[in-house]
Amino acid sequence: MVKMAELSTLESLLEMGFERNRAEKAVANTGNQGIEQAMDWLMEHENDPDIDEPYVPPVGNVLGEEPDNQSSTEQLTLAEDTAGGESSYSEDDLSGKRPMTEEEKREQVKRLEELMRVKQAERRERERAEEVEREKQRRRQGQELLQIRQKLQDDEMKKLADQRRKEKMEDKLARQRVKDKIARDREERAQKFGGGAPPSTAASSQPAVCSTSSPTTQGPPPTKKEYDESRIQVRLLDGSTITTVFKAQEPLAAVRVYVQMNGNTPEGQDFTLLSPYPRHIYTELDMEKPLKELGLVPSAVLVVTKK
């Protein structure tokens, strides 16, 4: 006996214009639960990559296949046992449903097409709602990402501001150290050379002693002060200057590195250092010599020139 429910759903899908392969898959995968479930399955799986692959029905569930002889015999035996051995099935039941007329088929197809339009409208509305939700989610993620980037930028700006404040403080302390050293040097020179009487007074009070005294009676010459630091002022390419203090035993290369890090020399631009008075251009060999050996202690002015 033909499975009429499956054939009815399958025929309806074929009348609506669906390909047989897809229609058979829809009926089989929905368990023959009706035309609406089959249509829903088709609309949900119409974009599957294997939707048009040949349909292979499972064993024992071939659409339109006659049941085996044993099942038919059992059904006929059960029918004969009911109602005193008379069959309770009519001739129409055994032969299947009455074939639909063309008018009935058109009406059914029309109803099914209307149902499909409704299903498609519902599907479009559902997809539109899902797209709106995805767009909202994308915007939320974009805002969160923007907030994270803004926080990173704020943290970086704070770090740079702290670094600049620290550099300014260090520069201020360095300038103060230079000022204090200059003041101490002035005091030492004043105490060393200004402690005796003025030369004019000494000459007027003791002219004979000054003229007759021998060199052996004079005191020892003043000793030269040993400086352990050097205040270096560097004039950059644009005319601006930077100043800092180095140890007297540091090499000239330390000054060069300081200019590279704190000057406005373009990255990759090679340069040389020179003394303007007297003019002297320092070579690579000079870079390894201490500032004291190069005569740059206690203070000096250097000029940056392009190499």
Side-chain angles (χ1 to χ4, degrees), residues 29-260:
N29 284 283
T30 58
N32 191 26
Q33 295 181 1
I35 187 67
E36 291 191 27
Q37 287 79 2
M39 290 168 57
D40 289 340
W41 188 93
L42 284 170
M43 287 187 290
E44 291 177 0
H45 297 272
E46 63 180 354
N47 295 322
D48 290 356
D50 60 346
I51 187 65
D52 291 320
E53 292 183 2
Y55 171 67
V56 180
V59 178
N61 189 31
V62 179
L63 296 178
E65 180 185 14
E66 292 287 344
D68 57 21
N69 294 333
Q70 183 178 357
S71 299
S72 300
T73 303
E74 291 177 355
Q75 291 177 0
L76 290 175
T77 303
L78 179 62
E80 290 175 355
D81 291 341
T82 59
E86 295 182 358
S87 175
S88 61
Y89 292 99
S90 65
E91 185 177 355
D92 290 340
D93 292 333
L94 294 175
S95 61
K97 292 179 62 178
R98 179 179 60 84
M100 299 176 64
T101 64
E102 292 298 326
E103 182 66 26
E104 289 173 339
K105 287 183 178 180
R106 286 195 294 271
E107 288 295 328
Q108 184 178 9
V109 169
K110 184 177 180 181
R111 290 194 300 271
L112 293 176
E113 289 177 346
E114 180 63 26
L115 178 61
M116 174 166 274
R117 283 193 292 271
V118 172
K119 293 288 185 181
Q120 289 176 341
E122 292 176 353
R123 181 184 178 186
R124 286 193 297 270
E125 181 64 23
R126 184 172 64 254
E127 290 178 348
R128 189 190 66 82
E130 291 174 354
E131 180 63 26
V132 170
E133 183 61 29
R134 284 195 296 269
E135 180 64 19
K136 290 181 180 179
Q137 181 68 17
R138 186 187 64 80
R139 292 184 178 181
R140 284 195 296 268
Q141 293 176 351
Q143 291 177 353
E144 292 174 357
L145 182 60
L146 183 62
Q147 291 175 355
I148 293 174
R149 289 179 178 174
Q150 186 64 40
K151 185 177 184 303
L152 291 176
Q153 291 178 355
D154 293 343
D155 294 342
E156 186 66 21
M157 292 299 295
K158 289 180 181 178
K159 186 184 298 183
L160 289 175
D162 293 340
Q163 184 177 355
R164 289 176 181 174
R165 283 195 294 269
K166 183 178 179 181
E167 291 175 353
K168 288 182 179 179
M169 181 61 68
E170 291 177 352
D171 190 45
K172 182 178 179 181
L173 293 175
R175 288 197 299 268
Q176 186 62 41
R177 287 196 299 269
V178 172
K179 291 180 180 179
D180 294 343
K181 184 171 180 9
I182 293 173
R184 289 196 302 271
D185 292 343
R186 288 177 179 174
E187 291 178 359
E188 290 177 359
R189 286 195 296 271
Q191 292 176 359
K192 189 171 184 178
F193 300 107
S200 57
T201 307
S204 60
S205 59
Q206 298 179 350
V209 174
C210 291
S211 60
T212 58
S213 61
S214 62
T216 56
T217 60
Q218 296 179 357
T223 58
K224 185 176 180 181
K225 179 176 176 58
E226 292 293 333
Y227 294 95
D228 58 355
E229 290 182 340
S230 176
R231 182 174 182 270
I232 303 296
Q233 182 184 79
V234 182
R235 185 178 303 122
L236 303 175
L237 292 174
D238 61 355
S240 60
T241 60
I242 54 176
T243 304
T244 189
V245 176
F246 297 90
K247 294 295 182 181
Q249 295 301 324
E250 286 189 77
L252 184 60
V255 180
R256 181 184 179 88
V257 172
Y258 179 80
V259 173
Q260 289 175 338

